[in-house]
Amino acid sequence: MLSKEEILKRLKSEGQRMTRIKTEIIDIFVGEEKFIDANELYKKLDTKADISTIYRNLESLVELELLEYIYEEGKRLYRLHRENDHVHYIVCELCGDKKEIDYCPFEHLRSNIEGYQIKDHKFELSGVCKSCDSKTKK
Ligand SMILES: [Zn+2]
Ligand SMILES: [Zn+2]
């Protein structure tokens, strides 16, 4: 998992200005294991900022791949990006609900493409979530 030092280094190399609110947001995510949404984050902050500032900060941290998110019941939940224990997602085609799945189809394919060192891969499933499924069946 990313350490605070790594995050700050990364932000600096991207030319990001370190605001008090951003520093505080990073502190909270470093000490948080679970996914949290913007409102929970808001409650944890000492510095009072409006929710749009918080969203803007969250989005820029996602863009820099310092945070990752899932999408649940119309809300985005965030957590620190995990570099090594990589995750895959399933996304609902109808409402955009996004969940982690505990499965990787590429586990066996670590390094057997000739001439290449595999560094990363992407895999995402799409489907229809339970609540959308029950709505369409009405
Ligand atoms: Zn859905
Ligand atoms: Zn994988």
Side-chain angles (χ1 to χ4, degrees), residues 35-37 68-72 75-79:
F35 279 99
I36 57 172
D37 70 11
E68 58 192 9
Y69 69 90
I70 52 169
Y71 199 61
E72 216 171 66
K75 279 193 303 195
R76 275 196 194 208
L77 306 175
Y78 304 83
R79 121 182 135 183

Side-chain angles (χ1 to χ4, degrees), residues 6-138:
E6 283 172 295
I7 295 169
L8 296 179
K9 222 169 87 189
R10 182 88 151 267
L11 287 169
K12 210 173 157 194
S13 73
E14 294 286 336
Q16 293 262 330
R17 206 164 54 91
M18 281 314 293
T19 55
R20 194 158 138 208
I21 190 86
K22 196 176 277 169
T23 314
E24 227 184 285
I25 289 174
I26 289 162
D27 275 336
I28 289 166
F29 278 109
V30 168
E32 181 65 64
E33 278 280 301
K34 294 179 294 156
F35 279 99
I36 57 172
D37 70 11
N39 282 317
E40 277 173 80
L41 181 65
Y42 179 78
K43 280 181 221 148
K44 287 173 191 276
L45 288 168
D46 291 327
T47 309
K48 284 301 153 214
D50 53 352
I51 197 89
S52 63
T53 307
I54 293 172
Y55 273 114
R56 211 164 342 106
N57 277 288
L58 286 171
E59 286 316 303
S60 84
L61 292 169
V62 168
E63 244 167 68
L64 295 170
E65 292 187 336
L66 295 171
L67 292 183
E68 58 192 9
Y69 69 90
I70 52 169
Y71 199 61
E72 216 171 66
E73 290 160 14
K75 279 193 303 195
R76 275 196 194 208
L77 306 175
Y78 304 83
R79 121 182 135 183
L80 219 56
H81 185 82
R82 311 211 168 168
E83 302 255 320
N84 296 321
D85 62 349
H86 74 276
V87 275
H88 296 293
Y89 297 97
I90 183 159
V91 181
C92 175
E93 289 172 346
L94 299 175
C95 70
D97 203 83
K98 186 177 173 188
K99 271 199 180 57
E100 251 182 68
I101 48 174
D102 193 18
Y103 170 72
C104 174
F106 304 112
E107 285 300 348
H108 61 286
L109 203 114
R110 287 276 180 221
S111 62
N112 51 10
I113 305 274
E114 220 192 298
Y116 277 88
Q117 246 199 345
I118 299 170
K119 297 274 193 192
D120 197 12
H121 61 259
K122 291 190 170 60
F123 165 69
E124 192 173 88
L125 287 171
S126 63
V128 176
C129 76
K130 228 177 175 173
S131 86
C132 288
D133 191 46
S134 64
K135 273 179 223 154
T136 52
K137 276 186 183 145
K138 252 182 227 164

